[in-house]
Amino acid sequence: MQIFYYQRRDRQPNFGDELNCWLWQRLIPTWINESSDQTTAFVGLGTLINNALPQRLSQFHHAILFTTGVGYEAPLRKIPDSWRIYAVRGPRSADQLGLPADLAITDGALLLRHCYMPHQIKQYPAAFMPHVHHANFAAPLFQQACDQLGWQYIDPRSPVDTVIQQIDQSDLLIAEAMHGAIAADALRVPWISVVTSPRILTFKWHDWCESVGLTYRPHYFSVPGAYPSFARGLRSTIKSGQHRWGCVKTRLGNLRKIKEDKDLQKNKGSVVFLRNQLDMLKQLPPQLSDDALANQLLERLDQRLQQLCRDLETHDIQRPTSTGAK
């Protein structure tokens, strides 16, 4: 099989996408042969299921989808007969595709537990990992703010091994990158979700969070002046006027909001402004899925992966998924 995953137009690597090669080559190396088998696509981690995916997979005779998520672009109208879906990211993906509920397990990044042993000693009280789109524009600002706080800045463009190790070294992860949060949850590192521009797709976050028994409750803060106007464009269901960018948004009444006084206005767009926002976020209660549920989901993923390998051995992958998209 050939691994199919999203690659950015600017060719910048992104942790959630690059995790595909890292993970599947460790878990099912026998079946991953990029050079000789061009007939079957293995579609794993990513928000890839939409109406454009059949065309993107047109060079392959068959496609295997394993824990992939729905999102971006127009919804898929019909599941092609050449596809075999073993699992999707969460209940929202299954519902949109008209699939049985038992195919909604969780994101396959949970399987990194089989490939990495967490360390007990932590080196940082917290870490911040932005979305790759925002890292392209504000990485130096993020790095400086984290340095001043004594935190770890995790660049989603770094090698997969580096990102996993950095998450593991932290007591807490503040994540805008969803696969950062997923990896943290898999490694039992508490996390807080944040949004710094309206580009973040909320559907995929809701889909994954619901799969692990959590509610997506992001906190919003601004990085004034750091992103160009085209980088602040809408790509999700968040509307530009829906949130007050420039202060941390939270349902907790006991958290002091940033005051828009003269000193703050002077520091707006600076490292100090970002540092203060990050520092306040650390006071919020983090999220982490239930241990027992995470173990159950891991077992279900293992079972589906074993079924996939059995089907590959018996050449049974040509049997299509039984139901189609809505």
Side-chain angles (χ1 to χ4, degrees), residues 114-136:
H114 294 321
C115 309
Y116 182 87
M117 181 65 67
H119 296 82
Q120 299 299 318
I121 300 176
K122 303 293 184 178
Q123 298 184 28
Y124 297 90
F128 172 58
M129 183 175 177
H131 188 278
V132 65
H133 186 78
H134 300 141
N136 279 330

Side-chain angles (χ1 to χ4, degrees), residues 70-284:
V70 165
Y72 298 123
E73 305 186 53
L76 180 68
R77 291 191 293 267
K78 182 181 183 298
I79 297 175
D81 291 339
S82 59
W83 290 13
R84 182 78 182 275
I85 300 178
Y86 284 82
V88 290
R89 175 184 287 151
R92 297 197 180 199
S93 287
D95 181 66
Q96 188 177 120
L97 295 169
L99 295 172
D102 63 353
L103 287 184
I105 304 178
T106 192
D107 194 282
L110 177 60
L111 290 162
L112 71 83
R113 282 191 179 187
H114 294 321
C115 309
Y116 182 87
M117 181 65 67
H119 296 82
Q120 299 299 318
I121 300 176
K122 303 293 184 178
Q123 298 184 28
Y124 297 90
F128 172 58
M129 183 175 177
H131 188 278
V132 65
H133 186 78
H134 300 141
N136 279 330
F137 300 110
L141 184 66
F142 296 146
Q143 181 70 67
Q144 292 176 55
C146 288
D147 287 346
Q148 290 187 15
L149 289 166
W151 292 13
Q152 177 138 248
Y153 169 60
I154 303 179
D155 194 316
R157 301 167 298 179
S158 298
V160 171
D161 285 299
T162 299
V163 173
I164 293 174
Q165 184 179 36
Q166 289 176 329
I167 292 173
D168 181 37
Q169 290 172 341
S170 307
D171 283 317
L172 169 73
L173 177 68
I174 294 177
E176 187 176 48
M178 188 182 74
H179 275 95
I182 295 173
D185 204 82
L187 300 174
R188 302 285 83 190
V189 174
W191 52 273
I192 293 172
S193 58
V194 297
V195 173
T196 68
S197 93
R199 286 188 58 89
I200 302 302
L201 183 67
T202 60
F203 180 92
K204 67 180 184 179
W205 273 93
H206 283 293
D207 196 27
W208 170 65
C209 284
E210 290 171 13
S211 78
V212 295
L214 297 173
T215 299
Y216 177 48
R217 52 171 195 258
H219 303 281
Y220 300 86
F221 72 95
S222 64
V223 187
Y227 306 153
S229 58
F230 66 86
R232 297 193 295 268
L234 298 178
R235 197 184 175 187
S236 71
T237 56
I238 300 177
K239 296 180 180 179
S240 58
Q242 188 174 356
H243 305 291
R244 290 172 51 217
W245 304 98
C247 68
V248 177
K249 301 294 287 182
T250 177
R251 297 180 181 87
L252 300 178
N254 60 353
L255 181 68
R256 177 180 59 84
K257 288 186 173 66
I258 297 175
K259 294 181 180 179
E260 295 285 350
D261 56 18
K262 293 182 180 179
D263 290 337
L264 185 60
Q265 289 289 347
K266 188 162 106 178
N267 289 325
K268 211 164 189 180
S270 71
V271 175
V272 174
F273 184 70
L274 176 59
R275 183 197 67 196
N276 290 342
Q277 292 185 95
L278 289 173
D279 193 36
M280 288 198 306
L281 283 166
K282 190 176 183 295
Q283 302 173 41
L284 298 171

